[in-house]
Amino acid sequence: EHPVLVQPVLFQPLLTGTSVNCFAGRCVTQATWEMEVAARSVLRLGPAAGRGLGVRALILARQDHERSSASQPPHLVWSTKAVCGAVALQALPRFARVRRSRWRLRSSRSGSNTSASVASGPIRQSGPRGARHSAAPAVTAISSSAPPDKWTVNEVRKAYIDFFAQKKEHQYVPSSPVVPLSDPTLLFANSGMNQFKSIFMGQLEPNSPLQGVSRAVNSQKCIRAGGKHNDLDDVGRDVYHHTFFEMLGNWSFGDYFKKEAIDWAWELLTEVYCLDPARIYASYFGGDEQLGLPPDLEAKQLWERHLPESRVLPFGKADNFWEMGAVGPCGPCSELHYDRMGDRDAAALVNADDPDVIEIWNLVFMQFYRETDGSLSPLPNRHIDTGMGLERVVSVLQDKRSNYDTDVFEPLLTALNEQVGGNPYQGRVGPEDSSLRDTAYRVIVDHARTLTLAVADGAVPSNEGRGYVLRRILRRAVRYGRQKLDAPPGFFSRLVPKVVECLSPAYPDLNGVGERVQAILSEEEVAFDRTVDRGMQFFEGLKKELAESGKATVPGDQVFLLYDSLGFPVDLTEQMAEEAGLQVDIAGFEAAMEQQKERSREAQREQQALEQGMKPLQLVAEQTAWLSDRNIAVTDDAQKYDWDLRPQAEVKAIFSDQGFVQSTEELVDADATSVGIILDKTAFYAEAGGQTGDVGALSLETGESLLAVKVVQVFGGYVLHSGLRPVQSLRVGDKVFCEVDYEHRRCVAPNHTMTHSLNWALREVLGDGIDQRGSLVTAERLRFDFSYEASSGVSKADLQRVEDLVKEVISQSLPVTFQEAPLARAQAIRGLRAVAGEAYPDPVRVVTVGSGPVADLLASPEDAAWQQQSVEFCGGTHISNTSEAKAFAILEERGISKGVRRITAVTGAAAEAALEAGKQLEKQMTSLETDTSQDEQALLSLGQQLDEIDTSATLKTDLRDRLGQLRKKLKKAQKKQKTKGGKISKQELEAAMSKVLELASAAKDAGEGVCIAVLEGPGIDGKSLRKLVEKPGFEDLPILVASYVDGAVDCQVAVPESRQANGDAGQWAKAFLAPISGKGGGKGAFAQGKAKDVSKAALDEAVKAAKDFFAN
């Protein structure tokens, strides 16, 4: 049609630049491209470069053609024709203004290669789909390009990782779990740098698997739904915020810095993803007088080598200065923004929250450390930390204005629509989405990804911490689904299989966990279905009170009550208020929230101070760098596994909250009560892996103590021995002796070894689905948290079998052996138990409890015999033979959150004492069972002992059951002696109070939130109940006590003020009495009621109604 497009004059030997090479490569490798984009590019490049573009393209085409096989599709001539057309446009600029429709060279749908279709954006080479995914492909502009509507999310992720791993020599480090179980300071992994935090803080252990990594790349699973980084309230309102997202990132740890980071970012965007350079804007830190920091002109100048000055923009601290937290590494950053529209100056729209000009990449230049006083000091090593939101860049590469229109979300939106019916997702936002139907779609599919990934990685919805955040997220999604989409019950948890299907190609660990995740979310979803209605009722009552008082603002404390007690998101309360013509006191809500957080923080600080009796000390990047700069080597702690040593060591550094000093005499501040000593070597074991550290002293050769060591911790290989400020002077260079309290360690070590045996025994009894969720080993006892789905907990029979297996391990006097081994070899051992999400060092220390030593395990890793003994990775201290543990007793088994149980146990003398106490209690029980007098006071005394004495949990359960039978027998005898209308005797009242106290304690320990006590016999009176709820520990526990005698029910109800948002005592009593046609009433805190002719089945219904009333 246009002969001018193929003029041979273009075969001139002209040179081109990098950006032109990229553009030419796109044309050579794919016939389908957008002529309009070509026109803009050529006009921008100018005549010489434009002709060079055409020539270079033809040269590449010829070379490509010569290398290709005869079977290659004959597309190259059409690629050449397209390039010639682009160059011709340079000579005929009037065509650049022709509308896109006139320049589209449409390709045949039948697969003909005789024409070329034109489409904006990046282009992928032709050839078999997936050809780029061959082993270790070379990453080039050609091999990584793809058509705008053909890039898949998996291809985008892979292209990024391949670029840095294969072309820029970065090490691929897999994503850490989105639930950082090893970092209690962090709710969720909220950025790619979280797992590298120890590197930035200068606290990396010498044997860490990250040791020696100078460049890294990955795609990190992230959740931003709490704390400083919280996108929860924005999800649904726009088309680009998410609570769960993937962060593509590349890092430099003291290796390359700004120049490489900027140049490689430009190369990836323009040559691999082939984004239009004319649409890219870069920002840089514009300086801050308050911080005393000048503008980052270095970054500005580096960007101006790629972009015109008008598209390199300065911004302040809020946008272009990144901080890890209030204290820690930080630095200026440079953000890359992309204009979806093009053909305009969009500089004014950068950082203006415009949906068409979006940030796609952030390059952080980590070069400062923020001190506790707010000042900044240079880091000893400068780092690069970059983050690119995968979902956003996919939307750009797929030419979609919304992240939800990409293949990241489309399968989930389809699955949701199949459940709810009606109109499918239409992408409306703001006023166009007046019904909030599309908002609901976005909220639900986003939250489904978040909940699935979080629960799969070990978190569960609960009433505290990250579990509480997850509960709020689920409730937000369910509320939107039920109210805006009329979704059926259980719709949300049924999205889990689709989430797993979408994300498992990138994260294979999702395979096999879908059923467990769905079961946990289903249970939580059912519980919230009951809460929605109560929240609405509460708000209606509040609205009425405000109207009567002439007020038009919902108080902040009431908003917080809805949020905290009923799980209502703030945006729901705001929406309900808006519909009622009311305002919401958000400042008051935030104040109430902050007060709650401060109460929690203060309680934690007080607890730490109480436990340690001293200020905690820690070494961060500045301190470890200070030590390294002075050639102070990391502490040699090789003797930490040895016993009964007293090695001499040299004081290399003295640290306090005033910093490093040469002598403790320099500590003149009276508040400087804590001192940390760093030695050249030590025999102390530092706190790690859930095991408490050693205690002891640093002493003179004579044995005189210089420093009582209370806390031992390790930071970046430096072991810090902390204690109260010594009276006698201690100086750098002094020689001291490490006096480890080995008697203390002899109490810790058996607890640690038996924790391993307990883990093995649980798997033997309950199956392979048991995974460790945490542990704590002290001198007094051991605590082990594990996943288990049965809501009723571990049965008494199974718990007894677990305890018996551990006892057998002790009685068999099995050896305990350990050995370091390459991580890959150790991971191949059959029966190995490892903590999910834990990053293990390489080499790793393998500990086994059993007849087969570690050397045999490594020699024959597939031997099934190893499943019959405990095998774990562990860096803790252990006994050498199980007989040293002497005895074992499980004191308690309880739930701490949905799907997670906790066992507390003891060994040694403590276990022997617990077992002996159990024998004595059993003797008393047998005596009472044979005593015909049935002394009620004796039963009461035995019940109190069961509550107070530590003994085997299974024995205690059995004794409580037997005690319950005795009480029933006694009450039956007492009923025969009672006359009609007789009053409750003092002994009966005391027995009833003892039973209620026992049930209330059990309910509180199990985290049930309420106590419902049904006594088959005389109950308690209102006065007694008032005394009970005033007891410490029961101030926030609603209690309902019902006595059941000859078909008559008498109930007493107490609801603390803190729980009356769910309903007061009178309402609860009526809910209980309704199924049995009873009557009752009372004030907010206390109520009572009665019912007659009540069957056992009807009473069960009443109890169920009472439980449902306070269900969360």
Side-chain angles (χ1 to χ4, degrees):
E1 296 178 288
H2 302 282
V4 70
L5 298 182
V6 290
Q7 293 186 23
V9 70
L10 296 174
F11 287 91
Q12 299 176 40
L14 299 176
L15 300 177
T16 62
T18 300
S19 61
V20 177
N21 281 331
C22 171
F23 191 74
R26 288 170 55 191
C27 299
V28 168
T29 56
Q30 178 62 289
T32 57
W33 61 288
E34 184 72 54
M35 187 64 77
E36 183 177 337
V37 175
R40 287 200 305 269
S41 300
V42 173
L43 289 173
R44 185 180 69 253
L45 292 171
R51 288 190 172 84
L53 165 65
V55 172
R56 182 61 177 165
L58 292 175
I59 292 172
L60 291 174
R62 185 183 184 90
Q63 294 172 349
D64 194 8
H65 183 69
E66 290 172 350
R67 289 193 299 266
S68 66
S69 65
S71 61
Q72 184 175 0
H75 65 278
L76 296 176
V77 63
W78 306 108
S79 303
T80 304
K81 181 176 179 179
V83 175
C84 294
V87 179
L89 284 173
Q90 185 271 321
L92 301 171
R94 68 180 187 276
F95 286 107
R97 295 188 294 274
V98 176
R99 296 178 60 85
R100 176 177 303 189
S101 59
R102 291 192 54 190
W103 280 97
R104 186 176 299 275
L105 303 178
R106 304 185 184 277
S107 62
S108 170
R109 293 295 181 184
S110 64
S112 170
N113 289 296
T114 58
S115 62
S117 70
V118 186
S120 64
I123 306 299
R124 187 185 64 182
Q125 68 184 50
S126 62
R129 186 177 183 83
R132 293 188 301 113
H133 299 278
S134 58
V139 181
T140 66
I142 293 175
S143 66
S144 297
S145 56
D149 59 344
K150 295 298 184 182
W151 276 102
T152 67
V153 60
N154 291 330
E155 290 171 337
V156 174
R157 186 190 299 109
K158 184 178 187 298
Y160 185 98
I161 293 172
D162 286 353
F163 175 78
F164 284 102
Q166 299 178 16
K167 192 171 183 180
K168 304 303 179 185
E169 300 178 337
H170 287 56
Q171 181 172 329
Y172 174 72
V173 179
S175 171
S176 64
V178 76
V179 179
L181 298 174
S182 60
D183 187 353
T185 66
L186 195 61
L187 284 176
F188 303 103
N190 56 27
S191 66
M193 58 72 58
N194 290 147
Q195 67 173 314
F196 305 116
K197 183 177 177 181
S198 59
I199 298 179
F200 297 134
M201 296 291 287
Q203 298 174 349
L204 187 67
E205 297 297 328
N207 62 344
S208 167
L210 295 176
Q211 195 64 249
V213 176
S214 60
R215 299 180 181 187
V217 62
N218 75 0
S219 180
Q220 171 67 45
K221 299 177 288 186
C222 299
I223 291 178
R224 289 187 178 176
K228 176 183 175 183
H229 302 288
N230 184 1
D231 290 337
L232 178 60
D233 292 337
D234 292 320
V235 172
R237 296 180 177 180
D238 57 37
V239 295
Y240 50 87
H241 275 102
H242 308 291
T243 51
F244 170 81
F245 62 96
E246 295 181 66
M247 183 71 82
L248 300 170
N250 58 284
W251 293 268
S252 164
F253 308 120
D255 191 339
Y256 63 84
F257 201 51
K258 290 182 185 179
K259 181 180 183 301
E260 293 84 354
I262 288 173
D263 288 348
W264 294 344
W266 181 257
E267 182 180 349
L268 177 74
L269 292 180
T270 61
E271 297 192 26
V272 176
Y273 290 149
C274 290
L275 294 177
D276 183 357
R279 300 190 189 190
I280 298 175
Y281 295 77
S283 66
Y284 67 94
F285 178 54
D288 190 291
E289 292 185 5
Q290 186 176 358
L291 293 176
L293 292 176
D296 188 2
L297 298 180
E298 180 186 5
K300 177 179 184 292
Q301 292 165 2
L302 288 170
W303 276 121
E304 288 176 352
R305 295 177 304 131
H306 303 289
L307 291 166
E309 185 178 2
S310 61
R311 285 194 276 125
V312 181
L313 311 171
F315 287 92
K317 176 184 175 183
D319 294 304
N320 280 86
F321 196 89
W322 187 91
E323 300 186 66
M324 183 183 294
V327 176
C330 56
C333 62
S334 184
E335 296 177 338
L336 289 162
H337 298 255
Y338 190 78
D339 179 15
R340 295 181 187 274
M341 304 294 289
D343 286 334
R344 60 175 179 171
D345 180 1
L349 300 178
V350 172
N351 282 332
D353 204 26
D354 187 291
D356 289 318
V357 181
I358 61 172
E359 175 197 343
I360 57 173
W361 206 349
N362 188 14
L363 315 180
V364 178
F365 312 126
M366 208 174 291
Q367 60 191 91
F368 299 110
Y369 188 90
R370 182 174 292 286
E371 307 288 354
T372 53
D373 62 1
S375 62
L376 296 175
S377 57
L379 281 175
N381 292 306
R382 301 185 301 179
H383 310 294
I384 289 294
D385 167 21
T386 84
M388 173 189 284
L390 175 64
E391 292 77 6
R392 287 195 182 184
V393 75
V394 168
S395 72
V396 169
L397 292 171
Q398 293 184 2
D399 197 23
K400 306 290 186 181
R401 295 185 70 245
S402 163
N403 294 357
Y404 293 91
D405 292 336
T406 68
D407 66 337
V408 175
F409 291 98
E410 188 278 330
L412 291 171
L413 291 166
T414 300
L416 177 57
N417 181 252
E418 289 173 355
Q419 288 198 66
V420 302
N423 292 329
Y425 177 68
Q426 298 178 32
R428 296 167 299 185
V429 294
E432 294 181 359
D433 188 29
S434 58
S435 67
L436 298 181
R437 183 177 179 85
D438 287 344
T439 298
Y441 270 110
R442 288 187 290 270
V443 167
I444 293 165
V445 297
D446 171 89
H447 293 3
R449 288 175 12 121
T450 300
L451 269 296
T452 300
L453 270 295
V455 174
D457 278 350
V460 288
S462 66
N463 283 326
E464 58 185 14
R466 63 173 62 99
Y468 184 52
V469 175
L470 295 179
R471 174 167 285 171
R472 286 170 43 221
I473 293 173
L474 182 141
R475 292 179 174 184
R476 188 171 188 259
V478 172
R479 196 275 304 179
Y480 267 106
R482 297 297 298 276
Q483 292 191 346
K484 305 302 177 184
L485 300 181
D486 196 24
F491 78 94
F492 184 76
S493 56
R494 287 195 287 271
L495 290 173
V496 169
K498 182 58 69 174
V499 176
V500 171
E501 178 186 326
C502 292
L503 288 172
S504 58
Y507 308 105
D509 52 319
L510 286 174
N511 291 315
V513 301
E515 290 186 5
R516 177 179 68 85
V517 173
Q518 186 170 354
I520 291 173
L521 297 185
S522 177
E523 183 178 352
E524 185 72 18
E525 187 175 1
V526 169
F528 183 55
D529 279 339
R530 308 188 192 104
T531 309
V532 174
D533 294 336
R534 289 204 303 275
M536 292 293 186
Q537 292 171 4
F538 176 83
F539 187 83
E540 288 300 316
L542 182 61
K543 184 172 67 173
K544 183 178 180 181
E545 291 178 11
L546 292 173
E548 291 174 350
S549 60
K551 298 179 180 178
T553 301
V554 181
D557 60 341
Q558 298 301 301
V559 179
F560 180 75
L561 193 61
L562 274 165
Y563 170 86
D564 188 54
S565 299
L566 295 174
F568 268 55
V570 178
D571 60 341
L572 171 58
T573 303
E574 287 181 301
Q575 181 183 341
M576 292 187 297
E578 183 179 357
E579 293 171 353
L582 301 172
Q583 301 293 319
V584 173
D585 179 14
I586 293 297
F589 163 78
E590 291 175 346
M593 173 69 82
E594 184 56 35
Q595 288 172 7
Q596 185 198 50
K597 290 180 179 178
E598 182 55 36
R599 286 193 295 269
S600 176
R601 287 192 291 263
E602 183 61 31
Q604 186 176 11
R605 286 194 291 266
E606 291 177 359
Q607 181 64 24
Q608 289 175 343
L610 184 64
E611 291 176 354
Q612 297 180 355
M614 53 182 283
K615 290 182 179 180
L617 298 173
Q618 69 167 339
L619 305 177
V620 294
E622 182 183 9
Q623 286 82 48
T624 56
W626 187 93
L627 294 167
S628 178
D629 289 345
R630 285 155 182 78
N631 295 318
I632 298 175
V634 296
T635 310
D636 177 3
D637 64 351
Q639 294 178 316
K640 66 185 178 184
Y641 296 126
D642 297 330
W643 292 76
D644 301 318
L645 300 178
R646 189 174 179 262
Q648 187 181 50
E650 180 182 343
V651 176
K652 305 300 290 186
I654 301 174
F655 183 68
S656 76
D657 58 356
Q658 298 178 23
F660 287 103
V661 295
Q662 287 295 307
S663 169
T664 55
E665 293 178 349
E666 299 177 32
L667 303 176
V668 295
D669 190 343
D671 292 333
T673 57
S674 301
V675 173
I677 307 298
I678 296 170
L679 306 173
D680 62 338
K681 59 184 176 181
T682 185
F684 283 85
Y685 174 85
E687 175 185 317
Q691 178 184 324
T692 187
D694 282 335
V695 296
L698 301 181
S699 65
L700 297 173
E701 186 174 5
T702 61
E704 181 183 356
S705 176
L706 293 173
L707 178 74
V709 178
K710 291 190 172 187
V711 178
V712 183
Q713 296 171 293
V714 61
F715 303 97
Y718 295 100
V719 178
L720 191 68
H721 309 73
S722 300
L724 295 177
R725 177 183 178 182
V727 175
Q728 189 170 341
S729 174
L730 194 61
R731 298 183 60 84
V732 172
D734 284 353
K735 304 293 185 181
V736 297
F737 287 83
C738 296
E739 302 271 6
V740 177
D741 185 347
Y742 287 108
E743 290 308 309
H744 174 270
R745 189 192 285 185
R746 284 188 172 89
C747 294
V748 176
N751 284 343
H752 199 155
T753 303
M754 289 306 105
T755 301
H756 287 214
S757 296
L758 173 62
N759 190 4
W760 167 80
L762 284 166
R763 181 185 62 184
E764 288 294 296
V765 175
L766 303 179
D768 289 334
I770 303 303
D771 289 317
Q772 181 174 342
R773 293 299 184 210
S775 66
L776 177 65
V777 178
T778 67
E780 292 74 31
R781 59 188 58 199
L782 64 95
R783 193 181 74 196
F784 187 76
D785 299 342
F786 58 99
S787 59
Y788 189 57
E789 300 308 321
S791 58
S792 59
V794 181
S795 69
K796 184 173 73 172
D798 284 342
L799 194 62
Q800 185 62 59
R801 178 60 181 147
V802 169
E803 185 178 76
D804 289 343
L805 280 176
V806 179
K807 288 179 178 177
E808 288 176 16
V809 168
I810 295 173
S811 65
Q812 290 171 3
S813 300
L814 297 173
V816 181
T817 60
F818 55 86
Q819 178 181 326
E820 282 197 348
L823 181 59
R825 286 186 62 198
Q827 287 174 326
I829 298 174
R830 193 163 182 176
L832 171 72
R833 303 290 284 172
V835 180
E838 185 74 18
Y840 290 101
D842 191 2
V844 66
R845 187 169 182 255
V846 183
V847 177
T848 185
V849 181
S851 56
V854 176
D856 290 355
L857 273 62
L858 293 170
S860 305
E862 293 299 322
D863 194 330
W866 311 142
Q867 291 183 299
Q868 301 307 309
Q869 63 186 66
S870 166
V871 186
E872 296 192 30
F873 296 157
C874 180
T877 58
H878 290 271
I879 52 181
S880 60
N881 189 286
T882 58
S883 61
E884 297 173 40
K886 298 180 181 179
F888 178 81
I890 294 177
L891 302 184
E892 182 185 46
E893 188 279 333
R894 65 185 180 92
I896 58 173
S897 60
K898 279 187 173 62
V900 179
R901 309 292 298 179
R902 171 172 291 172
I903 284 179
T904 302
V906 289
T907 67
E912 291 173 338
L915 296 174
E916 180 59 32
K919 291 178 181 178
Q920 296 302 318
L921 290 172
E922 193 164 21
K923 284 182 181 179
Q924 292 184 53
M925 180 63 69
T926 302
S927 175
L928 287 173
E929 288 173 333
T930 57
D931 186 355
T932 57
S933 65
Q934 294 293 305
D935 183 2
E936 186 172 2
Q937 188 59 42
L939 297 183
L940 180 62
S941 174
L942 182 57
Q944 291 174 339
Q945 291 181 66
L946 281 173
D947 292 335
E948 297 170 0
I949 294 177
D950 282 340
T951 189
S952 171
T954 54
L955 175 60
K956 186 175 285 192
T957 299
D958 181 61
L959 292 177
R960 279 179 172 148
D961 290 343
R962 290 164 65 183
L963 183 61
Q965 293 299 319
L966 286 180
R967 283 173 173 158
K968 288 182 180 180
K969 185 177 179 181
L970 177 62
K971 288 169 185 175
K972 188 174 181 180
Q974 290 172 339
K975 281 167 59 179
K976 291 181 179 179
Q977 299 174 4
K978 284 187 65 175
T979 59
K980 188 173 183 179
K983 295 182 179 180
I984 302 174
S985 68
K986 182 179 179 180
Q987 286 185 326
E988 288 174 329
L989 182 59
E990 290 177 347
M993 277 293 292
S994 175
K995 181 62 177 178
V996 173
L997 181 60
E998 176 186 327
L999 294 172
S1001 299
K1004 190 164 184 65
D1005 290 343
E1008 294 177 358
V1010 298
C1011 172
I1012 300 173
V1014 178
L1015 310 178
E1016 294 189 0
I1020 63 175
D1021 55 19
K1023 182 179 179 180
S1024 300
L1025 183 59
R1026 283 178 169 83
K1027 290 182 179 180
L1028 175 59
V1029 297
E1030 291 172 357
K1031 286 181 176 290
F1034 297 102
E1035 304 94 333
D1036 61 348
L1037 183 70
I1039 300 176
L1040 186 152
V1041 181
S1043 64
Y1044 184 52
V1045 181
D1046 297 331
V1049 174
D1050 196 339
C1051 74
Q1052 300 286 339
V1053 178
V1055 177
E1057 184 177 355
S1058 62
R1059 297 293 298 278
Q1060 289 179 22
N1062 300 63
D1064 60 23
Q1067 292 171 321
W1068 195 21
K1070 290 177 181 178
F1072 169 73
L1073 293 167
I1076 54 178
S1077 302
K1079 294 182 179 181
K1083 297 181 180 179
F1086 296 95
Q1088 59 186 358
K1090 296 178 180 293
K1092 297 180 179 179
D1093 301 324
V1094 179
S1095 67
K1096 189 66 171 64
L1099 181 60
D1100 291 341
E1101 287 297 316
V1103 171
K1104 183 178 184 301
K1107 290 180 178 179
D1108 290 345
F1109 184 85
F1110 271 104
N1112 287 322

